[in-house]
Amino acid sequence: GRPVIIPKKYYKYRTGNRYLIPDVTCVEVDWNIHSITSAIKKITVDVDTANQYAKRCYDIANALFDYTHDIWRLKQWIYNIL
């Protein structure tokens, strides 16, 4: 339940694309110390803001992930490599 800080457009063509939602589950930044510092301040400006970001990330993860299916896929993968 924590947002990640990522370079702008980093996730666009990657598998995490559906999970990285700008200003919801991630904060996009220009990859420099000023932008990264500003993003950290934005997320942690106070306890309530940090908790709101954490709750949104947690809620999105629970809505997007099918844990039962993921466990089944992992078992299949392990079975195939043994």
Side-chain angles (χ1 to χ4, degrees):
R2 300 290 183 266
V4 294
I5 298 171
I6 59 170
K8 286 185 178 178
K9 306 300 178 194
Y10 173 78
Y11 64 90
K12 188 171 183 176
Y13 298 108
R14 300 175 190 268
T15 56
N17 184 31
R18 68 183 278 210
Y19 308 111
L20 296 172
I21 304 164
D23 294 320
V24 178
T25 61
C26 72
V27 178
E28 289 184 297
V29 297
D30 293 320
W31 207 238
N32 61 59
I33 193 68
H34 175 70
S35 294
I36 295 167
T37 304
S38 294
I40 292 169
K41 287 178 183 177
K42 175 182 176 179
I43 295 168
T44 61
V45 67
D46 58 44
V47 173
D48 289 335
T49 301
N51 285 338
Q52 288 172 358
Y53 269 100
K55 181 168 178 3
R56 283 194 309 231
C57 286
Y58 178 83
D59 291 344
I60 293 290
N62 279 332
L64 291 176
F65 287 100
D66 179 350
Y67 295 102
T68 304
H69 180 69
D70 290 340
I71 291 168
W72 175 83
R73 286 181 55 211
L74 179 59
K75 286 180 181 177
Q76 294 300 311
W77 178 75
I78 291 170
Y79 177 77
N80 287 333
I81 63 171
L82 296 178

